[in-house]
Amino acid sequence: MAVPITILDCDLLLYGRGHRTLDRFKLENVTDEYLVSTYGFPRQFIYYLVDLLGVSLSRPTQRSRAISPETQILAALGFYTSGSFQTRMGDAIGISQASMSRCVANVTEALVERASQFIHFPEDEAAVQSLKDDFYSLAGMPGVLGVVDCTHVAIKAPNAEDLSYVNRKGLHSLNCLMVCDARGVLLSAETHWPGSLPDCAVLQQAALTNRFETELHKDGWLLGDSSFVLQTWLMTPLHIPETPAEYRYNMAHSATHNVIERTFRTIRSRFRCLDGSKGTLQYSPEKSSHIILACCVLHNISLKHGLDVWSSSATGHAEQPEEEYTKMEPLDSEACRVRQELLLTHFS
């Protein structure tokens, strides 16, 4: 019986006998310009990922011609930054489209395993104070530990056609809750929430809320927009400012909170698999959530390596529903007191 060539090619690459690797593509044979234009990152960054993920991507196997960590990482970066499994990209690194898909899965899981290493709040007092100082330098808003918001990423309809993933625009999506610092470094990323949940419901159920209510509320707060409910640890803007102090507070709040919007634009611009221009993520909600989280890890690693140019350009077909901003009546009188004290102390 004839064996389809595409399956044979994939199996020869991944299965066989022995432990030899098969790679037709070598990093040293191409320019940095080519790597950045094709895979989104320069040579030294890719070498860093090989060192970081190499053990996870080279797990012992009885199969031969295993794809090297370097090639797996290039395949994954090619998908993350372009949003498609193009045949020409697989051809460039010497693997089939099916192998490209396996590489993306392997690299994604390796990055997700290391998410807590790269996405976390600072713990020591000096780092926490530095975090507050950086935010204060933006617009004079004191005590800020991070800015929080949600963004939607479009996914294909789940096999079970779960309506919980249908957002208010009638599209299937994941609603991702993220917090960043003044530089756009992500401090928290929860990427698994169904798109039907409004932002306030996501935050109410999120691990982030439990952490701030039990351990992270250290004389400071997050900044959230009007889609969230005022909390002692979450400062929101005033719905209808009336006094000069309230106007100054809202202006400082908006200027500081804008960091998270710029961060979302940067992530979507760098990782086009998330921006909707190539269509929705063609995976289950769980796998799509992992891909988003993997891109968040790469975003933080790229900032660590100085690749921190802000992107202000539009990113095409990003499927992010607009929130309906309505007045959220605060339920916590203590939260009202904290915000009022902030107004009187710093904005009067």
Side-chain angles (χ1 to χ4, degrees):
M1 181 177 67
V3 179
I5 293 176
T6 54
I7 296 178
L8 179 62
D9 175 61
C10 178
D11 286 345
L12 281 174
L13 284 166
L14 291 179
Y15 302 120
R17 300 183 183 278
H19 298 283
R20 188 164 58 88
T21 63
L22 177 62
D23 291 300
R24 286 181 255 167
F25 183 92
K26 297 296 181 182
L27 277 176
E28 59 269 22
N29 295 337
V30 296
T31 65
D32 262 341
E33 289 76 13
Y34 173 80
L35 291 172
V36 171
S37 65
T38 307
Y39 303 103
F41 294 95
R43 188 186 321 275
Q44 291 307 313
F45 183 87
I46 296 170
Y47 281 143
Y48 173 82
L49 292 181
V50 172
D51 290 339
L52 177 70
L53 308 178
V55 173
S56 296
L57 300 177
S58 303
R59 293 189 173 103
T61 176
Q62 294 302 312
R63 298 161 181 169
S64 82
R65 304 190 179 210
I67 301 175
S68 71
E70 180 179 291
T71 299
Q72 291 185 62
I73 287 167
L74 288 171
L77 292 179
F79 168 72
Y80 296 148
T81 58
S82 73
S84 71
F85 291 114
Q86 295 180 2
T87 301
R88 65 175 181 81
M89 188 171 294
D91 289 343
I93 55 178
I95 62 175
S96 68
Q97 185 171 329
S99 295
M100 281 276 294
S101 181
R102 286 191 178 92
C103 291
V104 170
N106 292 342
V107 174
T108 295
E109 291 312 303
L111 287 167
V112 168
E113 288 172 2
R114 291 160 177 79
S116 62
Q117 177 183 344
F118 294 98
I119 303 176
H120 57 81
F121 282 89
E123 297 181 356
D124 64 273
E125 291 185 11
V128 171
Q129 187 57 52
S130 177
L131 186 64
K132 294 179 182 179
D133 292 343
D134 288 344
F135 276 117
Y136 186 79
S137 68
L138 294 179
M141 180 69 76
V144 180
L145 299 172
V147 289
V148 59
D149 207 348
C150 288
T151 185
H152 286 253
V153 175
I155 63 172
K156 73 171 184 178
N159 291 334
E161 191 56 38
D162 189 341
L163 295 180
S164 67
Y165 290 95
V166 179
N167 61 42
R168 56 181 292 270
K169 285 191 172 181
L171 304 171
H172 291 84
S173 68
L174 290 168
N175 196 2
C176 306
L177 178 73
M178 300 187 193
V179 179
C180 74
D181 70 9
R183 286 185 57 232
V185 175
L186 294 173
L187 306 175
S188 177
E190 299 184 34
T191 60
H192 62 283
W193 296 102
S196 66
L197 286 179
D199 294 359
C200 59
V202 168
L203 182 62
Q204 184 179 18
Q205 300 175 50
L208 177 69
T209 293
N210 182 61
R211 292 192 66 195
F212 261 83
E213 290 181 343
T214 59
E215 58 180 289
L216 283 179
H217 186 197
K218 301 175 180 178
D219 299 320
W221 37 71
L222 300 178
L223 296 188
D225 62 25
S226 298
S227 62
F228 299 115
V229 178
L230 180 70
Q231 306 283 346
T232 56
W233 51 269
L234 177 66
M235 293 293 103
T236 59
L238 290 138
H239 182 61
I240 304 177
E242 297 176 347
T243 68
E246 290 175 346
Y247 276 102
R248 284 191 289 269
Y249 166 84
N250 270 15
M251 289 179 64
H253 187 292
S254 176
T256 307
H257 188 266
N258 185 54
V259 173
I260 191 79
E261 299 301 332
R262 295 168 68 194
T263 299
F264 288 157
R265 289 198 298 269
T266 297
I267 292 173
R268 289 180 182 278
S269 179
R270 178 168 280 158
F271 304 108
R272 303 307 292 268
C273 69
L274 307 181
D275 78 352
S277 64
K278 299 293 184 180
T280 63
L281 284 176
Q282 296 297 301
Y283 298 91
S284 68
E286 180 182 8
K287 290 183 178 179
S288 295
S289 171
H290 285 186
I291 288 172
I292 300 167
L293 185 55
C295 290
C296 290
V297 173
L298 287 172
H299 167 76
N300 274 11
I301 296 175
S302 69
L303 293 182
K304 178 181 177 182
H305 283 75
L307 306 176
D308 57 354
V309 178
W310 287 105
S311 171
S312 59
S313 59
T315 56
H317 304 82
E319 302 292 355
Q320 182 175 359
E322 296 179 3
E323 292 293 334
E324 292 182 347
Y325 292 113
T326 57
K327 185 175 181 180
M328 307 295 292
E329 292 295 339
L331 304 177
D332 188 342
S333 60
E334 178 63 14
C336 293
R337 185 197 66 76
V338 170
R339 185 168 66 180
Q340 188 62 28
E341 182 178 334
L342 177 59
L343 280 163
L344 293 174
T345 304
H346 294 278
F347 296 98
S348 295

